[in-house]
Amino acid sequence: MPLDAQLVARFSPSRWRPSTWPPRFALAWLQRTLTVSLLVLAGGCASVAPGVQDDAAGREALLQTVWQTVGDRHVDPPPPGWADAVARHRPAVLAAPPLSQDPDALWTALDGLAAEWRDAHTRVEGPRDIARHQRHEVVSLGFVLLPLAQQWVAFRVDPESPAHAQGLRDGMVLLDWNGEPPQAVWARLQQQPRTSSTPQATDQHSLRRWLDGAPGTWVHSRWQRADGSPLTVSAERQRRIRPPSWQLTRRESGVAVLRWSRFDTALEGPLVRALGSLSADVPGLVLDVRGNGGGSLAMTQRLAAALLPTPHAGALMGRKGEPGEPTRLAGRAVYTGPLVVLLDRGSASGSEMLARTLQHLGRARVVGETSCGCLLAITRYLPLAPDARLAVSERHIRWDTGRVEGVGVRPDVPVQRTQAGVQAGRDEVLEQAERLLLAP
């Protein structure tokens, strides 16, 4: 946070902690399909999901279930080659280790099939992903990496982390990662990417894979300080709890900045109250949804309504083959002053819907980077096993100017961070937003 920012309110509890289908599979597939169909008709992600027959027949049945379900339910036409996708992914699915040895490898292989739709929302999740989501848990080294000027620099180094204690600071340039140049690590990750909605979304996923790993594993890295001197850091991946959080600050200029981590309904009340607390003398408000991956669609629409002085028609939403019906935004007028929204490539889903709605209606200007381009909607999780599930994008979201999915929300004022700014602890994107709000 900039030194000239005054903390007004914050809720952010977190802590560190040490093609052709073999006939012999027909019966298994039929049994599997009937079971999943009954669960889907029951609605939602059922509390009791079918068990997994972890042999070749059971895995073939899963392949066919994922292929058929995504093809039937996805809002968009099938991608090129979808008819042959099962044959392409069968070897990886059959070769995955037994669930008793690796509970996640099978589901990762099945996710490769879902990834052919190039859609960040359509995916297969295994027990690790589901458990992390439910516990608000991440595995962290205490910092993230930011690509700047064809280099990788440290960013958001946690002051409480061991990496910070060893001297790592924002803006230091990565030279070596476990004995490899960072460019070699990145090239290897990009050889087998999990394709997503846009190139920036695919890159974000690859970056998460780079930093992720089993808790307790170590990364030994070398960095270059701002003065050119080297620094060696050894960091252990640790579990960290990051529940939904929000923060309202005031700049010295009086501009208010409201940040929140995701569109979780637990934050809706505090966020609306924070908007209502802003007095008439506030020169403007910045909504900072950089890195916010979205969440509740209904909450997104209600927040947009809180920022509109009068009722408006929002985005068009519809299922496969439908042009879509306009959403209705009530216009609650909780905050009606000047408004800027900050985006980056990590702003996805609900963040993009809020930003594009306000931008499209002329209510706010958008500053920063083009967003993720990940804006379709899932309506339910479909169970594949007691600890695995399938998400499918079943609704499109668009405006009369087109969709955000596959493109991203383009900023009115493009601004990118610089290495010098990161090293100095500046937020150049926020500074530009502040200048816009203060301009006569």
Side-chain angles (χ1 to χ4, degrees):
M1 182 173 64
L3 294 178
D4 63 346
Q6 172 193 358
L7 182 64
V8 175
R10 184 176 185 179
F11 174 70
S12 182
S14 62
R15 64 180 183 275
W16 280 87
R17 298 190 303 173
S19 93
T20 299
W21 179 21
R24 66 183 183 276
F25 297 140
L27 180 59
W29 174 83
L30 180 60
Q31 292 171 336
R32 182 82 191 178
T33 301
L34 288 173
T35 303
V36 172
S37 297
L38 289 172
L39 287 167
V40 169
L41 288 172
C45 185
S47 58
V48 179
V52 175
Q53 181 183 332
D54 195 17
D55 56 16
R59 291 180 176 211
E60 182 69 27
L62 282 167
L63 256 174
Q64 296 290 339
T65 296
V66 172
W67 181 84
Q68 187 73 48
T69 304
V70 177
D72 288 347
R73 303 181 73 93
H74 201 285
V75 67
D76 287 338
W82 182 244
D84 303 318
V86 168
R88 284 193 297 277
H89 292 273
R90 182 179 289 121
V93 169
L94 296 181
L99 291 171
S100 58
Q101 295 179 12
D102 186 336
D104 288 288
L106 171 60
W107 311 113
T108 300
L110 287 166
D111 183 60
L113 174 62
E116 291 213 3
W117 288 76
R118 297 180 179 269
D119 163 16
H121 287 86
T122 297
R123 62 194 184 272
V124 173
E125 295 182 347
R128 178 187 59 189
D129 293 333
I130 294 173
R132 286 183 178 181
H133 177 78
Q134 292 172 343
R135 296 195 296 256
H136 305 296
E137 180 183 285
V138 297
V139 175
S140 175
L141 290 161
F143 59 89
V144 298
L145 294 173
L146 184 67
L148 285 178
Q150 299 183 333
Q151 299 182 111
W152 294 93
V153 303
F155 189 52
R156 295 176 182 158
V157 180
D158 193 306
E160 299 178 1
S161 69
H164 186 275
Q166 295 173 66
L168 187 64
R169 299 294 183 268
D170 282 5
M172 290 188 180
V173 179
L174 179 63
L175 303 175
D176 181 278
W177 186 275
N178 281 338
E180 281 189 283
Q183 294 79 6
V185 178
W186 184 245
R188 188 173 65 253
L189 287 166
Q190 292 202 307
Q191 286 176 359
Q192 292 183 317
R194 199 285 185 192
T195 52
S196 193
S197 300
T198 57
Q200 60 266 30
T202 299
D203 285 350
Q204 285 293 101
H205 190 272
S206 296
L207 182 54
R208 287 193 295 270
R209 287 170 52 211
W210 183 348
L211 297 172
D212 197 13
T217 56
W218 286 79
V219 169
H220 306 286
S221 54
R222 289 192 304 112
W223 306 79
Q224 184 181 59
R225 296 185 178 96
D227 62 6
S229 61
L231 173 72
T232 299
V233 174
S234 293
E236 180 185 11
R237 291 186 174 94
Q238 298 182 13
R239 289 188 175 92
R240 191 172 188 188
I241 303 301
R242 289 181 180 166
S245 61
W246 68 279
Q247 183 184 52
L248 177 64
T249 61
R250 286 282 192 93
R251 308 278 288 182
E252 283 189 352
S253 64
V255 168
V257 182
L258 184 59
R259 302 178 176 93
W260 63 101
S261 59
R262 61 177 290 105
F263 287 79
D264 189 294
T265 53
L267 300 183
E268 183 174 352
L271 289 174
V272 172
R273 288 191 291 273
L275 291 172
S277 72
L278 298 176
S279 57
D281 63 344
V282 172
L285 171 64
V286 176
L287 301 180
D288 188 350
V289 290
R290 291 175 293 179
N292 186 321
S296 167
L297 176 63
M299 174 182 168
T300 303
Q301 294 173 302
R302 290 192 293 267
L303 279 180
L307 294 161
L308 295 173
T310 58
H312 284 274
L316 299 168
M317 298 184 63
R319 296 182 180 271
K320 178 182 290 190
E322 299 175 355
E325 293 293 329
T327 55
R328 302 295 176 185
L329 303 173
R332 298 170 56 195
V334 177
Y335 172 79
T336 58
L339 192 60
V340 170
V341 182
L342 304 187
L343 294 179
D344 65 10
R345 67 190 68 184
S347 305
S349 195
S351 297
E352 297 180 288
M353 187 167 186
L354 179 65
R356 183 63 187 126
T357 295
L358 298 173
Q359 182 189 51
H360 181 72
L361 295 174
R363 177 67 183 89
R365 287 171 289 184
V366 175
V367 174
E369 299 176 325
T370 298
S371 63
C372 181
C374 310
L375 187 53
L376 295 175
I378 62 174
T379 58
R380 69 188 74 190
Y381 286 102
L382 308 173
L384 297 174
D387 54 0
R389 62 193 185 185
L390 171 65
V392 183
S393 295
E394 297 186 49
R395 303 174 78 181
H396 64 78
I397 302 171
R398 67 181 182 88
W399 287 261
D400 54 16
T401 53
R403 301 201 321 185
V404 168
E405 172 68 24
V407 180
V409 178
R410 295 186 175 95
D412 301 298
V413 183
V415 183
Q416 291 189 330
R417 296 179 186 270
T418 67
Q419 184 181 350
V422 173
Q423 288 175 337
R426 294 174 52 203
D427 187 338
E428 294 146 306
V429 183
L430 177 57
E431 290 171 2
Q432 177 60 50
E434 187 176 23
R435 285 192 290 269
L436 287 175
L437 290 169
L438 296 174

